[in-house]
Amino acid sequence: MKKLVPFGVDAVLVIVFCAIGRRSHDEAVLAGMLRTVWPFGTGLVLGWVIAIAVAGREGAGAAKPFDGRAVWPTGVIVWLSTLIVGMLLRVVSGQGIAFSFIIVAATALALFLLGWRVAMKALR
């Protein structure tokens, strides 16, 4: 159960990211939330699958097990997957993207998905 906490933190932060985005564009936060969250949520889940698979490859014979709190490689994989897959799915679903949105999303998601991991590492 403890191993699921980092995934839960990431999921909550992606939802917060989407809520902030909806609110900043004067859109109803709850009414269209699922439409906004699903592309990034899908990217988040895929990122976790990839991060676990990468750790499994590295873990064969290695002393370090998978750590969902790690900045590298877990946090970076999760962040990039959430961003890239989220943007691709937005385009495919007709939601559209702008270059400025990609920059803002990359920065905000990095702050959220990497920031809490960096803070945890500093506190350890």
Side-chain angles (χ1 to χ4, degrees):
M1 192 67 168
K2 188 177 178 181
K3 291 183 180 187
L4 293 177
V5 171
F7 175 77
V9 171
D10 285 345
V12 167
L13 290 172
V14 167
I15 292 168
V16 168
F17 161 73
C18 292
I20 291 169
R22 292 190 61 77
R23 183 74 180 117
S24 69
H25 292 284
D26 293 325
E27 296 174 331
V29 174
L30 293 179
M33 190 59 129
L34 184 58
R35 182 172 190 260
T36 305
V37 169
W38 81 264
F40 296 105
T42 302
L44 176 73
V45 170
L46 182 61
W48 268 85
V49 168
I50 294 168
I52 290 169
V54 166
R57 270 194 338 191
E58 289 179 354
K64 287 181 112 178
F66 174 74
D67 183 4
R69 300 169 302 168
V71 176
W72 176 260
T74 305
V76 173
I77 291 170
V78 168
W79 166 58
L80 289 174
S81 176
T82 302
L83 176 66
I84 295 167
V85 172
M87 291 299 170
L88 290 173
L89 290 176
R90 281 183 59 88
V91 169
V92 169
S93 66
Q95 293 186 51
I97 57 172
F99 182 72
S100 59
F101 175 56
I102 295 170
I103 299 300
V104 169
T107 304
L109 288 170
L111 179 65
F112 284 177
L113 299 177
L114 299 176
W116 77 263
R117 288 175 167 90
V118 169
M120 288 294 296
K121 186 175 182 175
L123 293 173
R124 278 189 252 161

